[in-house]
Amino acid sequence: GIFARCLSYCGAYLTDGRVPEQIALNIAGTSRKLDAVVDVGLLQRLPSGDVYVRDYADYNMLRDEVEHRREQRKEAGRRGGLAKAAANGRHE
């Protein structure tokens, strides 16, 4: 559960796999539980004390890619809306 919640945090806040130490401790409940997840290799401790979801970029989109895709969808929606308005005889 700790790993899954850290993974969810990264996806929600687009952190590219990094979870701030205090957030990771809050998720885990205790440093002992967090250390157990680090010990099995699902998370990695960084020199800053933060944790990193191991291999995050291999299985998840990074912030730049997510933002790029969001921008593409936004632009496609805008173009679609303009096309629909033009088809209905409306102007911008």
Side-chain angles (χ1 to χ4, degrees):
I2 294 168
F3 172 75
R5 289 187 62 203
C6 285
L7 191 59
S8 293
Y9 177 89
C10 295
Y13 295 100
L14 302 178
T15 66
D16 292 342
R18 187 183 197 112
V19 181
E21 181 178 27
Q22 192 57 50
I23 300 294
L25 286 170
N26 286 341
I27 288 171
T30 67
S31 58
R32 183 176 173 190
K33 289 179 183 178
L34 182 59
D35 290 341
V37 180
V38 170
D39 290 345
V40 297
L42 294 173
L43 301 175
Q44 202 175 350
R45 282 230 187 244
L46 301 175
S48 65
D50 295 350
V51 295
Y52 176 74
V53 176
R54 179 171 248 121
D55 300 327
Y56 184 84
D58 293 342
Y59 301 100
N60 300 278
M61 289 189 294
L62 298 178
R63 173 190 290 266
D64 291 343
E65 188 177 356
V66 170
E67 289 176 345
H68 177 72
R69 285 187 178 195
R70 285 178 181 172
E71 195 58 40
Q72 285 179 322
R73 284 194 304 268
K74 180 179 170 184
E75 180 58 25
R78 187 188 72 75
R79 285 193 313 264
L82 291 175
K84 184 175 181 179
N88 290 331
R90 297 185 185 134
H91 300 290
E92 236 182 83

Coordinates of all heavy atoms in Angstrom, one line a residue:
G1 N 0.8 -1.2 0.0 CA 0.0 0.0 0.0 C 0.8 1.3 0.0 O 0.5 2.2 -0.6
I2 N 2.0 1.2 0.7 CA 2.8 2.4 0.8 C 3.4 2.7 -0.6 O 3.3 3.9 -1.1 CB 4.0 2.2 1.8 CG1 3.4 2.1 3.2 CG2 5.0 3.3 1.7 CD1 4.4 1.6 4.2
F3 N 3.8 1.7 -1.3 CA 4.3 1.9 -2.7 C 3.2 2.5 -3.6 O 3.5 3.4 -4.3 CB 4.8 0.6 -3.3 CG 5.2 0.6 -4.7 CD1 6.4 1.3 -5.1 CD2 4.4 0.1 -5.7 CE1 6.7 1.4 -6.4 CE2 4.7 0.2 -7.0 CZ 5.9 0.8 -7.4
A4 N 2.0 1.9 -3.5 CA 0.9 2.3 -4.4 C 0.6 3.8 -4.1 O 0.3 4.6 -5.0 CB -0.3 1.4 -4.2
R5 N 0.6 4.2 -2.9 CA 0.2 5.6 -2.5 C 1.3 6.5 -2.9 O 1.0 7.6 -3.4 CB -0.1 5.7 -1.0 CG -1.4 5.0 -0.7 CD -1.8 5.2 0.8 NE -2.1 6.6 1.0 CZ -2.0 7.2 2.2 NH1 -1.8 6.4 3.3 NH2 -2.2 8.4 2.4
C6 N 2.6 6.1 -2.8 CA 3.7 7.0 -3.3 C 3.6 7.1 -4.8 O 3.7 8.2 -5.4 CB 5.0 6.4 -2.9 SG 5.4 6.6 -1.2
L7 N 3.3 6.0 -5.5 CA 3.1 6.1 -7.0 C 1.9 7.0 -7.3 O 2.0 7.8 -8.3 CB 2.8 4.7 -7.5 CG 2.9 4.4 -9.0 CD1 4.2 4.8 -9.6 CD2 2.5 3.0 -9.2
S8 N 0.8 6.9 -6.6 CA -0.3 7.8 -6.9 C 0.0 9.3 -6.6 O -0.4 10.1 -7.4 CB -1.5 7.4 -6.0 OG -2.0 6.2 -6.3
Y9 N 0.8 9.5 -5.6 CA 1.2 10.9 -5.3 C 2.0 11.5 -6.5 O 1.8 12.6 -6.9 CB 2.1 10.9 -4.0 CG 2.6 12.3 -3.7 CD1 1.9 13.2 -2.9 CD2 3.9 12.7 -4.2 CE1 2.4 14.5 -2.7 CE2 4.4 14.0 -3.9 CZ 3.6 14.8 -3.2 OH 4.1 16.1 -2.9
C10 N 2.9 10.6 -7.0 CA 3.8 11.1 -8.1 C 2.9 11.4 -9.3 O 3.2 12.4 -10.0 CB 4.8 10.0 -8.5 SG 6.0 9.7 -7.2
G11 N 1.9 10.6 -9.6 CA 1.1 10.8 -10.7 C 0.2 12.1 -10.6 O 0.0 12.8 -11.5
A12 N -0.3 12.2 -9.4 CA -1.2 13.4 -9.1 C -0.5 14.7 -9.1 O -1.0 15.7 -9.6 CB -1.9 13.2 -7.7
Y13 N 0.8 14.7 -8.7 CA 1.5 16.0 -8.6 C 2.6 16.1 -9.6 O 3.4 17.1 -9.6 CB 2.0 16.2 -7.1 CG 0.9 16.3 -6.1 CD1 0.5 15.3 -5.4 CD2 0.2 17.5 -6.0 CE1 -0.5 15.4 -4.5 CE2 -0.8 17.7 -5.1 CZ -1.2 16.6 -4.4 OH -2.2 16.7 -3.5
L14 N 2.7 15.2 -10.5 CA 3.7 15.2 -11.6 C 5.1 15.4 -11.1 O 5.8 16.3 -11.5 CB 3.3 16.2 -12.7 CG 1.9 16.1 -13.3 CD1 1.7 17.2 -14.3 CD2 1.8 14.7 -14.0
T15 N 5.5 14.6 -10.1 CA 6.8 14.8 -9.5 C 7.9 13.9 -10.2 O 9.1 13.9 -9.7 CB 6.8 14.4 -8.0 OG1 6.5 12.9 -7.9 CG2 5.7 15.1 -7.3
D16 N 7.6 13.3 -11.2 CA 8.6 12.4 -12.0 C 9.2 11.4 -11.1 O 10.4 11.0 -11.2 CB 9.7 13.3 -12.6 CG 9.2 14.1 -13.7 OD1 8.1 13.9 -14.3 OD2 9.9 15.1 -14.1
G17 N 8.4 10.8 -10.1 CA 8.9 9.7 -9.3 C 9.4 10.1 -7.9 O 9.7 9.2 -7.1
R18 N 9.5 11.4 -7.6 CA 10.1 11.8 -6.4 C 8.9 12.1 -5.4 O 8.0 12.8 -5.7 CB 10.9 13.1 -6.6 CG 11.6 13.6 -5.4 CD 12.4 14.9 -5.8 NE 13.4 15.1 -4.8 CZ 14.7 15.1 -5.1 NH1 15.2 14.8 -6.3 NH2 15.6 15.3 -4.1
V19 N 9.1 11.7 -4.1 CA 8.1 11.9 -3.1 C 8.9 12.6 -1.9 O 9.9 12.0 -1.4 CB 7.5 10.6 -2.6 CG1 6.5 10.9 -1.5 CG2 6.8 9.9 -3.7
P20 N 8.5 13.8 -1.6 CA 9.2 14.5 -0.5 C 9.2 13.6 0.8 O 8.2 12.9 1.1 CB 8.4 15.8 -0.2 CG 7.7 16.0 -1.5 CD 7.4 14.6 -2.1
E21 N 10.3 13.7 1.6 CA 10.4 12.9 2.7 C 9.2 12.9 3.7 O 8.7 11.9 4.1 CB 11.7 13.3 3.5 CG 12.0 12.5 4.7 CD 13.3 12.9 5.4 OE1 13.7 14.1 5.3 OE2 13.9 12.0 6.1
Q22 N 8.8 14.1 4.0 CA 7.7 14.2 4.9 C 6.4 13.6 4.4 O 5.6 13.0 5.2 CB 7.4 15.7 5.3 CG 6.5 15.9 6.5 CD 7.0 15.1 7.7 OE1 8.1 15.2 8.2 NE2 6.1 14.3 8.3
I23 N 6.1 13.7 3.1 CA 5.0 13.1 2.5 C 5.1 11.6 2.6 O 4.2 10.9 2.9 CB 4.8 13.6 1.0 CG1 4.6 15.1 0.9 CG2 3.7 12.8 0.4 CD1 3.4 15.6 1.5
A24 N 6.3 11.1 2.2 CA 6.5 9.7 2.3 C 6.3 9.1 3.7 O 5.7 8.0 3.9 CB 7.9 9.3 1.8
L25 N 6.8 9.8 4.7 CA 6.6 9.4 6.1 C 5.1 9.4 6.5 O 4.7 8.6 7.2 CB 7.4 10.3 7.0 CG 8.9 10.0 7.0 CD1 9.7 11.1 7.8 CD2 9.3 8.6 7.6
N26 N 4.4 10.5 6.0 CA 3.0 10.5 6.3 C 2.2 9.3 5.6 O 1.3 8.8 6.2 CB 2.4 11.8 5.8 CG 2.8 13.0 6.7 OD1 3.2 12.8 7.8 ND2 2.6 14.2 6.1
I27 N 2.6 9.0 4.4 CA 2.0 7.9 3.7 C 2.3 6.6 4.5 O 1.4 5.8 4.7 CB 2.5 7.8 2.3 CG1 1.9 9.0 1.5 CG2 2.2 6.4 1.6 CD1 2.5 9.1 0.1
A28 N 3.6 6.4 4.9 CA 4.0 5.1 5.5 C 3.5 5.0 6.9 O 3.2 3.9 7.4 CB 5.5 5.0 5.5
G29 N 3.4 6.1 7.6 CA 3.0 6.1 9.0 C 4.1 6.1 10.0 O 4.1 6.8 11.0
T30 N 5.2 5.3 9.7 CA 6.4 5.3 10.5 C 7.6 5.2 9.6 O 7.5 4.7 8.5 CB 6.4 4.1 11.5 OG1 6.5 2.9 10.7 CG2 5.2 4.1 12.4
S31 N 8.7 5.6 10.1 CA 10.0 5.5 9.3 C 10.3 4.0 9.1 O 10.9 3.6 8.1 CB 11.1 6.3 9.9 OG 11.4 5.9 11.2
R32 N 10.0 3.2 10.1 CA 10.3 1.8 10.0 C 9.6 1.1 8.8 O 10.1 0.4 8.1 CB 9.9 1.1 11.3 CG 10.2 -0.3 11.4 CD 9.9 -0.9 12.7 NE 10.1 -2.3 12.7 CZ 9.7 -3.1 13.7 NH1 9.1 -2.7 14.7 NH2 9.9 -4.4 13.6
K33 N 8.3 1.5 8.6 CA 7.5 0.9 7.5 C 8.1 1.5 6.2 O 8.2 0.7 5.2 CB 6.0 1.3 7.7 CG 5.3 0.6 8.8 CD 3.9 1.0 8.9 CE 3.2 0.3 10.0 NZ 1.8 0.8 10.1
L34 N 8.4 2.7 6.2 CA 9.0 3.3 4.9 C 10.3 2.6 4.6 O 10.6 2.2 3.5 CB 9.2 4.8 5.1 CG 9.7 5.5 3.9 CD1 8.8 5.4 2.7 CD2 9.9 7.0 4.2
D35 N 11.1 2.4 5.6 CA 12.4 1.7 5.4 C 12.2 0.3 4.9 O 13.0 -0.2 4.1 CB 13.2 1.7 6.7 CG 13.7 3.0 7.1 OD1 13.8 3.9 6.3 OD2 14.1 3.2 8.3
A36 N 11.2 -0.4 5.3 CA 10.9 -1.7 4.8 C 10.6 -1.7 3.3 O 11.1 -2.6 2.6 CB 9.7 -2.3 5.6
V37 N 9.9 -0.7 2.8 CA 9.6 -0.6 1.4 C 10.9 -0.3 0.6 O 11.1 -0.8 -0.5 CB 8.5 0.4 1.1 CG1 8.2 0.5 -0.4 CG2 7.2 0.0 1.9
V38 N 11.7 0.6 1.2 CA 13.0 0.9 0.6 C 13.9 -0.4 0.6 O 14.5 -0.7 -0.4 CB 13.7 2.0 1.4 CG1 15.2 2.2 0.9 CG2 12.9 3.3 1.3
D39 N 13.9 -1.1 1.7 CA 14.7 -2.3 1.8 C 14.4 -3.4 0.7 O 15.3 -4.1 0.2 CB 14.6 -2.9 3.1 CG 15.3 -2.1 4.2 OD1 16.1 -1.2 3.9 OD2 15.0 -2.3 5.4
V40 N 13.1 -3.5 0.3 CA 12.8 -4.5 -0.7 C 13.0 -3.9 -2.1 O 12.8 -4.6 -3.1 CB 11.3 -5.0 -0.6 CG1 11.2 -5.8 0.7 CG2 10.3 -3.9 -0.7
G41 N 13.4 -2.7 -2.2 CA 13.7 -2.1 -3.5 C 12.7 -1.4 -4.3 O 12.9 -1.0 -5.5
L42 N 11.5 -1.2 -3.8 CA 10.4 -0.5 -4.5 C 10.6 1.0 -4.5 O 10.3 1.7 -5.5 CB 9.1 -0.8 -3.9 CG 8.6 -2.3 -4.1 CD1 7.3 -2.5 -3.3 CD2 8.5 -2.7 -5.5
L43 N 11.2 1.5 -3.4 CA 11.5 2.9 -3.3 C 13.0 3.0 -3.0 O 13.6 2.1 -2.5 CB 10.7 3.6 -2.1 CG 9.2 3.5 -2.2 CD1 8.6 4.1 -0.9 CD2 8.7 4.3 -3.4
Q44 N 13.5 4.2 -3.4 CA 14.9 4.5 -3.2 C 15.1 5.7 -2.4 O 14.4 6.7 -2.7 CB 15.5 4.7 -4.6 CG 16.9 4.4 -4.8 CD 17.2 4.6 -6.3 OE1 16.3 4.7 -7.2 NE2 18.5 4.6 -6.6
R45 N 15.9 5.8 -1.4 CA 16.2 7.0 -0.7 C 17.2 7.9 -1.4 O 18.2 7.4 -1.9 CB 16.8 6.7 0.7 CG 15.8 6.2 1.7 CD 15.9 7.0 3.0 NE 15.0 6.4 3.9 CZ 14.0 7.0 4.4 NH1 13.7 8.3 4.1 NH2 13.2 6.5 5.3
L46 N 16.9 9.1 -1.5 CA 17.8 10.1 -2.1 C 18.6 10.8 -1.1 O 18.2 10.8 0.1 CB 16.9 11.1 -2.9 CG 16.0 10.5 -4.0 CD1 15.2 11.6 -4.7 CD2 16.9 9.8 -5.1
P47 N 19.7 11.4 -1.4 CA 20.6 12.1 -0.5 C 19.8 13.1 0.3 O 20.1 13.4 1.5 CB 21.7 12.7 -1.3 CG 21.8 11.8 -2.5 CD 20.3 11.3 -2.8
S48 N 18.8 13.7 -0.3 CA 18.0 14.8 0.4 C 17.1 14.2 1.5 O 16.5 15.0 2.3 CB 17.1 15.5 -0.7 OG 16.2 14.6 -1.2
G49 N 16.9 12.9 1.5 CA 15.9 12.3 2.4 C 14.6 11.9 1.7 O 13.8 11.1 2.2
D50 N 14.4 12.6 0.6 CA 13.2 12.2 -0.2 C 13.3 10.8 -0.7 O 14.4 10.2 -0.6 CB 13.1 13.2 -1.4 CG 12.8 14.6 -1.0 OD1 12.5 14.9 0.2 OD2 12.9 15.5 -1.9
V51 N 12.2 10.3 -1.2 CA 12.3 8.9 -1.8 C 11.9 9.0 -3.3 O 11.3 9.9 -3.7 CB 11.4 7.9 -1.1 CG1 11.8 7.7 0.3 CG2 9.9 8.3 -1.2
Y52 N 12.4 8.0 -4.0 CA 12.2 8.0 -5.5 C 11.5 6.6 -5.8 O 12.0 5.6 -5.3 CB 13.5 8.1 -6.2 CG 13.3 8.0 -7.7 CD1 12.7 9.0 -8.5 CD2 13.7 6.8 -8.4 CE1 12.6 8.8 -9.8 CE2 13.6 6.7 -9.7 CZ 13.0 7.7 -10.5 OH 12.8 7.5 -11.8
V53 N 10.5 6.6 -6.6 CA 9.9 5.4 -7.0 C 10.8 4.8 -8.1 O 10.9 5.3 -9.1 CB 8.4 5.6 -7.6 CG1 7.8 4.3 -8.1 CG2 7.5 6.2 -6.5
R54 N 11.4 3.7 -7.7 CA 12.4 3.0 -8.6 C 11.7 2.7 -10.0 O 10.6 2.3 -10.1 CB 12.9 1.7 -8.0 CG 13.9 1.0 -8.8 CD 14.5 -0.1 -8.1 NE 15.9 0.3 -8.0 CZ 16.6 0.4 -6.8 NH1 16.0 0.1 -5.7 NH2 17.8 0.7 -6.8
D55 N 12.5 3.0 -11.0 CA 12.0 2.8 -12.4 C 10.8 3.6 -12.8 O 10.1 3.2 -13.7 CB 11.8 1.3 -12.7 CG 13.1 0.5 -12.4 OD1 14.2 1.0 -12.7 OD2 12.9 -0.7 -12.0
Y56 N 10.5 4.6 -12.1 CA 9.3 5.4 -12.4 C 9.1 5.8 -13.9 O 8.1 5.6 -14.5 CB 9.2 6.7 -11.6 CG 7.9 7.4 -11.7 CD1 6.8 7.1 -11.0 CD2 7.8 8.5 -12.6 CE1 5.6 7.8 -11.1 CE2 6.6 9.2 -12.8 CZ 5.5 8.8 -12.0 OH 4.4 9.5 -12.2
A57 N 10.2 6.3 -14.5 CA 10.2 6.8 -15.8 C 10.0 5.6 -16.9 O 9.6 5.9 -18.0 CB 11.4 7.6 -16.2
D58 N 10.3 4.4 -16.5 CA 10.2 3.3 -17.4 C 8.7 2.9 -17.6 O 8.4 2.3 -18.6 CB 10.9 2.1 -16.8 CG 12.4 2.3 -16.8 OD1 12.9 3.2 -17.5 OD2 13.1 1.5 -16.1
Y59 N 7.9 3.2 -16.6 CA 6.5 2.8 -16.7 C 5.4 3.9 -16.7 O 4.2 3.6 -16.8 CB 6.2 1.8 -15.5 CG 7.1 0.6 -15.6 CD1 8.2 0.6 -14.8 CD2 6.8 -0.4 -16.4 CE1 9.1 -0.5 -14.8 CE2 7.7 -1.5 -16.5 CZ 8.8 -1.6 -15.7 OH 9.6 -2.7 -15.7
N60 N 5.9 5.1 -16.5 CA 5.0 6.3 -16.3 C 5.5 7.5 -17.2 O 6.6 7.6 -17.4 CB 4.9 6.7 -14.8 CG 4.4 5.6 -14.0 OD1 3.2 5.4 -13.9 ND2 5.3 4.9 -13.3
M61 N 4.5 8.3 -17.6 CA 4.9 9.5 -18.3 C 5.5 10.5 -17.3 O 5.0 10.6 -16.2 CB 3.7 10.1 -19.0 CG 3.1 9.3 -20.2 SD 1.9 10.2 -21.1 CE 0.6 10.2 -19.9
L62 N 6.5 11.2 -17.8 CA 7.0 12.3 -17.0 C 6.3 13.6 -17.2 O 5.5 13.7 -18.1 CB 8.5 12.5 -17.3 CG 9.4 11.3 -17.1 CD1 10.8 11.5 -17.5 CD2 9.3 10.8 -15.6
R63 N 6.5 14.5 -16.3 CA 5.8 15.8 -16.3 C 5.7 16.5 -17.7 O 4.6 16.9 -18.1 CB 6.4 16.8 -15.3 CG 5.8 18.2 -15.3 CD 6.6 19.2 -14.5 NE 6.5 18.9 -13.1 CZ 5.6 19.5 -12.3 NH1 4.7 20.4 -12.8 NH2 5.6 19.3 -11.0
D64 N 6.8 16.6 -18.3 CA 6.8 17.2 -19.6 C 5.9 16.6 -20.6 O 5.2 17.2 -21.4 CB 8.3 17.3 -20.2 CG 9.2 18.2 -19.4 OD1 8.7 19.1 -18.7 OD2 10.4 18.1 -19.6
E65 N 5.9 15.2 -20.7 CA 5.1 14.5 -21.6 C 3.6 14.7 -21.2 O 2.7 14.9 -22.1 CB 5.4 13.0 -21.6 CG 4.7 12.3 -22.7 CD 5.1 10.8 -22.7 OE1 6.1 10.4 -22.0 OE2 4.5 10.1 -23.5
V66 N 3.3 14.6 -19.9 CA 1.9 14.8 -19.5 C 1.4 16.2 -19.9 O 0.3 16.4 -20.5 CB 1.7 14.6 -18.0 CG1 0.4 15.0 -17.5 CG2 2.0 13.1 -17.6
E67 N 2.2 17.2 -19.6 CA 1.8 18.6 -19.9 C 1.7 18.8 -21.4 O 0.8 19.5 -21.9 CB 2.8 19.6 -19.3 CG 2.7 19.6 -17.8 CD 3.7 20.5 -17.1 OE1 4.7 20.9 -17.8 OE2 3.5 20.8 -15.9
H68 N 2.6 18.2 -22.2 CA 2.5 18.3 -23.7 C 1.2 17.6 -24.2 O 0.5 18.2 -25.0 CB 3.7 17.6 -24.3 CG 3.7 17.6 -25.8 ND1 3.9 18.7 -26.6 CD2 3.4 16.6 -26.7 CE1 3.8 18.4 -27.8 NE2 3.5 17.1 -27.9
R69 N 0.8 16.5 -23.7 CA -0.4 15.8 -24.1 C -1.6 16.6 -23.7 O -2.6 16.7 -24.4 CB -0.5 14.4 -23.5 CG 0.5 13.5 -24.3 CD 0.2 12.0 -23.8 NE 1.1 11.1 -24.5 CZ 0.9 9.8 -24.6 NH1 -0.1 9.3 -23.9 NH2 1.7 9.1 -25.3
R70 N -1.6 17.2 -22.5 CA -2.7 18.0 -22.1 C -2.9 19.2 -23.0 O -4.0 19.6 -23.4 CB -2.5 18.5 -20.7 CG -2.7 17.5 -19.6 CD -2.4 18.0 -18.2 NE -2.6 17.0 -17.2 CZ -2.3 17.2 -15.9 NH1 -1.8 18.3 -15.5 NH2 -2.5 16.2 -15.1
E71 N -1.8 19.8 -23.4 CA -1.9 21.0 -24.3 C -2.4 20.5 -25.7 O -3.2 21.3 -26.3 CB -0.5 21.6 -24.5 CG -0.5 23.0 -25.1 CD -1.3 24.0 -24.3 OE1 -1.4 24.0 -23.1 OE2 -2.0 24.8 -25.0
Q72 N -2.0 19.4 -26.2 CA -2.5 18.8 -27.4 C -4.0 18.6 -27.4 O -4.7 19.0 -28.3 CB -1.8 17.5 -27.8 CG -0.4 17.7 -28.3 CD 0.2 16.3 -28.6 OE1 0.0 15.4 -27.9 NE2 1.0 16.3 -29.7
R73 N -4.5 18.0 -26.3 CA -5.9 17.8 -26.1 C -6.7 19.1 -26.1 O -7.8 19.2 -26.6 CB -6.2 16.9 -24.9 CG -5.9 15.4 -25.1 CD -6.4 14.6 -24.1 NE -6.0 14.9 -22.7 CZ -5.0 14.4 -22.1 NH1 -4.2 13.5 -22.6 NH2 -4.7 14.8 -20.9
K74 N -6.1 20.0 -25.4 CA -6.8 21.4 -25.2 C -6.9 22.0 -26.6 O -8.0 22.5 -27.0 CB -5.9 22.2 -24.3 CG -6.5 23.6 -24.1 CD -5.6 24.4 -23.1 CE -5.9 25.8 -23.0 NZ -5.0 26.6 -22.2
E75 N -5.9 22.0 -27.4 CA -5.9 22.6 -28.7 C -6.8 21.8 -29.6 O -7.6 22.4 -30.4 CB -4.5 22.6 -29.3 CG -4.4 23.2 -30.7 CD -4.9 24.6 -30.8 OE1 -4.9 25.4 -29.8 OE2 -5.3 25.0 -31.9
A76 N -6.8 20.5 -29.6 CA -7.8 19.7 -30.4 C -9.2 20.0 -30.0 O -10.1 20.1 -30.9 CB -7.5 18.2 -30.2
G77 N -9.5 20.2 -28.7 CA -10.8 20.6 -28.3 C -11.2 21.9 -28.8 O -12.4 22.2 -29.2
R78 N -10.3 22.9 -28.8 CA -10.6 24.2 -29.3 C -10.9 24.2 -30.8 O -11.9 24.8 -31.2 CB -9.4 25.1 -29.0 CG -9.7 26.6 -29.3 CD -8.4 27.5 -29.2 NE -7.5 27.2 -30.3 CZ -7.6 27.6 -31.6 NH1 -8.7 28.3 -31.9 NH2 -6.7 27.4 -32.5
R79 N -10.0 23.5 -31.5 CA -10.3 23.4 -33.0 C -11.6 22.7 -33.2 O -12.4 23.1 -34.2 CB -9.1 22.6 -33.6 CG -7.9 23.4 -33.8 CD -6.9 22.7 -34.7 NE -6.7 21.3 -34.4 CZ -5.7 20.8 -33.7 NH1 -4.8 21.6 -33.1 NH2 -5.6 19.5 -33.5
G80 N -11.9 21.6 -32.5 CA -13.2 20.9 -32.7 C -14.4 21.8 -32.4 O -15.4 21.8 -33.1
G81 N -14.3 22.6 -31.4 CA -15.3 23.6 -31.0 C -15.5 24.6 -32.1 O -16.7 25.0 -32.4
L82 N -14.4 25.1 -32.6 CA -14.5 26.1 -33.7 C -15.2 25.5 -35.0 O -16.0 26.1 -35.6 CB -13.1 26.7 -34.0 CG -12.5 27.5 -33.0 CD1 -11.1 27.9 -33.4 CD2 -13.3 28.8 -32.7
A83 N -14.8 24.3 -35.3 CA -15.3 23.6 -36.4 C -16.8 23.3 -36.3 O -17.6 23.5 -37.2 CB -14.6 22.2 -36.7
K84 N -17.2 23.0 -35.1 CA -18.7 22.7 -34.8 C -19.4 24.0 -34.9 O -20.5 24.1 -35.5 CB -18.8 22.1 -33.4 CG -20.3 21.7 -33.1 CD -20.4 21.0 -31.8 CE -21.8 20.7 -31.5 NZ -21.9 20.0 -30.2
A85 N -18.9 25.1 -34.4 CA -19.6 26.4 -34.5 C -19.7 26.9 -35.9 O -20.7 27.4 -36.3 CB -18.8 27.4 -33.6
A86 N -18.6 26.6 -36.7 CA -18.7 27.0 -38.1 C -19.7 26.2 -38.9 O -20.4 26.7 -39.7 CB -17.3 26.9 -38.8
A87 N -19.8 24.9 -38.5 CA -20.8 24.1 -39.2 C -22.2 24.5 -38.9 O -23.1 24.3 -39.7 CB -20.6 22.6 -38.8
N88 N -22.4 25.1 -37.7 CA -23.7 25.5 -37.3 C -24.0 26.9 -37.6 O -25.0 27.5 -37.2 CB -23.9 25.3 -35.7 CG -23.9 23.9 -35.3 OD1 -24.4 23.1 -36.1 ND2 -23.5 23.6 -34.1
G89 N -23.1 27.5 -38.4 CA -23.3 28.9 -38.9 C -23.0 30.0 -37.8 O -23.4 31.1 -37.9
R90 N -22.2 29.6 -36.8 CA -21.9 30.6 -35.8 C -20.4 31.0 -36.0 O -19.6 30.3 -36.5 CB -22.0 29.9 -34.4 CG -23.4 29.5 -34.1 CD -23.5 29.0 -32.7 NE -24.9 28.5 -32.4 CZ -25.2 27.4 -31.9 NH1 -24.2 26.6 -31.4 NH2 -26.4 27.0 -31.7
H91 N -20.2 32.2 -35.5 CA -18.8 32.7 -35.6 C -18.2 32.8 -34.2 O -18.9 32.9 -33.2 CB -18.8 34.1 -36.3 CG -19.4 34.0 -37.7 ND1 -18.7 33.3 -38.7 CD2 -20.5 34.4 -38.2 CE1 -19.4 33.4 -39.8 NE2 -20.5 34.1 -39.5
E92 N -16.9 32.9 -34.1 CA -16.2 33.1 -32.8 C -16.6 34.3 -32.1 O -16.8 35.3 -32.6 CB -14.7 33.1 -33.1 CG -13.9 32.1 -32.3 CD -12.5 32.3 -32.6 OE1 -11.8 33.1 -31.9 OE2 -12.0 31.5 -33.5

